[in-house]
Amino acid sequence: MPALIDTHCHLNDLEAFPDPAATLTAAREAEVERLIVIGVDTESSRRAIELAETFESVFAVVGWHPNYTAKYEPASLNEIEAMLAHPRALAVGEIGLDFHWNYATLDQQRAALLDQLALAAALDKPVVFHCREAYPALLDILEARPTRPYLFHCFAGNADDARRAMALDAYFGVDGPITYKKADELRGVVQMLPKDRLVIETDAPYLTPAPHRGKPNQPAFVALVNSALAAMLGMSEEECAQLTTANARRFFGLS
């Protein structure tokens, strides 16, 4: 089977992954050739860069997650900008809006989001979004700006949200929830998305796919996401792996 890419994981979470080398070995055994490790603040972004420097199969995405923006200061963008100069830092992220939790106010989230969108535009970098229960608000912001390469991590919007994101020529991250029994609406939305804009991810250690739900997720389980997506799209696992890996390489500029 063609090699897989886990386009979104948190291998930089030291508590969840105390032995990254062992995690990567398990991923390779599941035919996962590359992992993209996502920052949520400056500290975790630095850790993502360190992992990318240590392991050939790892790349980094750096930025401020909306749930962490209560501690965000515009001056911290200088460090994010410096990290983005690293050859293994591929994109700005995960940034966005989160209306589910109240770890940061809307004003704090919005300020960090706008600053990071401006930085991504200035550096000509793709953007990876976190969005939870906030798609209309985030899409309103993006529709008022010049279109850039956008990836909606763990896309969970409705059909209207999907159509608006598709109009931005966005990419969509697909992960464990498509394997959940009660996720028929999500599966229906994913099936309407352009196939050449789908990538697979784990969000490990979160969003563990069936049949391992209830246990910590790991990058090796992206193979289960690939299998579920292939079944939904009516293609073989090999065809789906080839498709999503090609999409990920295109979005992130990987050879």
Side-chain angles (χ1 to χ4, degrees), residues 4 10 26 59 65 69-70 76 86 89 101 127 137 152 157-158 177 179 190 203 206-207 213 245:
L4 302 168
H10 296 280
F59 294 84
H65 186 297
T69 53
S76 71
H86 195 287
W101 302 108
V127 179
F152 288 88
N158 61 28
T179 70
V190 170
D203 201 25
Y206 313 107
L207 301 179
R213 194 175 182 187
T245 294

Side-chain angles (χ1 to χ4, degrees), residues 96-166:
L97 298 174
D98 190 314
F99 292 174
H100 180 80
W101 302 108
N102 60 356
Y103 298 126
T105 67
L106 174 57
D107 286 345
Q108 290 170 327
Q109 294 184 46
R110 184 182 174 88
L113 170 63
L114 294 177
D115 285 352
Q116 292 178 101
L117 284 173
L119 178 63
L123 299 180
D124 194 24
K125 288 287 187 179
V127 179
V128 176
F129 289 111
H130 169 99
C131 188
R132 189 168 184 185
E133 300 175 14
Y135 285 99
L138 178 57
L139 289 162
D140 284 347
I141 291 171
L142 299 181
E143 288 167 348
R145 304 175 63 88
T147 301
R148 295 202 47 73
Y150 294 144
L151 167 56
F152 288 88
H153 146 64
C154 188
F155 185 74
N158 61 28
D160 184 58
D161 300 328
R163 282 188 285 268
R164 293 177 67 184
M166 288 161 57

Side-chain angles (χ1 to χ4, degrees), residues 18-224:
D19 187 352
T23 300
L24 291 170
T25 296
R28 282 194 299 272
E29 291 172 352
E31 301 186 83
V32 182
E33 73 163 8
R34 288 174 176 168
L35 289 77
I36 299 176
V37 178
I38 311 295
V40 297
D41 57 15
T42 51
E43 182 179 355
S44 63
S45 294
R46 282 194 298 270
R47 175 65 173 159
I49 294 286
E50 290 168 0
L51 289 165
E53 290 176 335
T54 304
F55 300 104
E56 185 178 359
S57 61
V58 173
F59 294 84
V61 168
V62 299
W64 280 87
H65 186 297
N67 287 341
Y68 291 76
T69 53
K71 297 181 180 179
Y72 168 79
E73 295 180 357
S76 71
L77 272 193
N78 294 331
E79 188 168 359
I80 297 296
E81 182 174 0
M83 292 183 214
L84 286 165
H86 195 287
R88 299 182 72 81
L90 304 180
V92 177
E94 59 184 292
I95 71 174
L97 298 174
D98 190 314
F99 292 174
H100 180 80
W101 302 108
N102 60 356
Y103 298 126
T105 67
L106 174 57
D107 286 345
Q108 290 170 327
Q109 294 184 46
R110 184 182 174 88
L113 170 63
L114 294 177
D115 285 352
Q116 292 178 101
L117 284 173
L119 178 63
L123 299 180
D124 194 24
K125 288 287 187 179
V127 179
V128 176
F129 289 111
H130 169 99
C131 188
R132 189 168 184 185
E133 300 175 14
Y135 285 99
L138 178 57
L139 289 162
D140 284 347
I141 291 171
L142 299 181
E143 288 167 348
R145 304 175 63 88
T147 301
R148 295 202 47 73
Y150 294 144
L151 167 56
F152 288 88
H153 146 64
C154 188
F155 185 74
N158 61 28
D160 184 58
D161 300 328
R163 282 188 285 268
R164 293 177 67 184
M166 288 161 57
L168 298 173
D169 205 23
Y171 286 67
F172 302 86
V174 180
D175 39 22
I178 67 163
T179 70
Y180 300 166
K181 289 183 179 180
K182 296 182 179 180
D184 289 338
E185 181 178 356
L186 172 62
R187 284 186 284 269
V189 171
V190 170
Q191 286 174 315
M192 68 180 277
L193 300 174
K195 291 182 177 64
D196 66 349
R197 291 295 184 269
L198 299 177
V199 299
I200 52 176
E201 57 183 38
T202 60
D203 201 25
Y206 313 107
L207 301 179
T208 311
H212 302 291
R213 194 175 182 187
K215 301 176 182 178
N217 202 356
Q218 57 178 295
F221 291 166
V222 80
L224 297 173

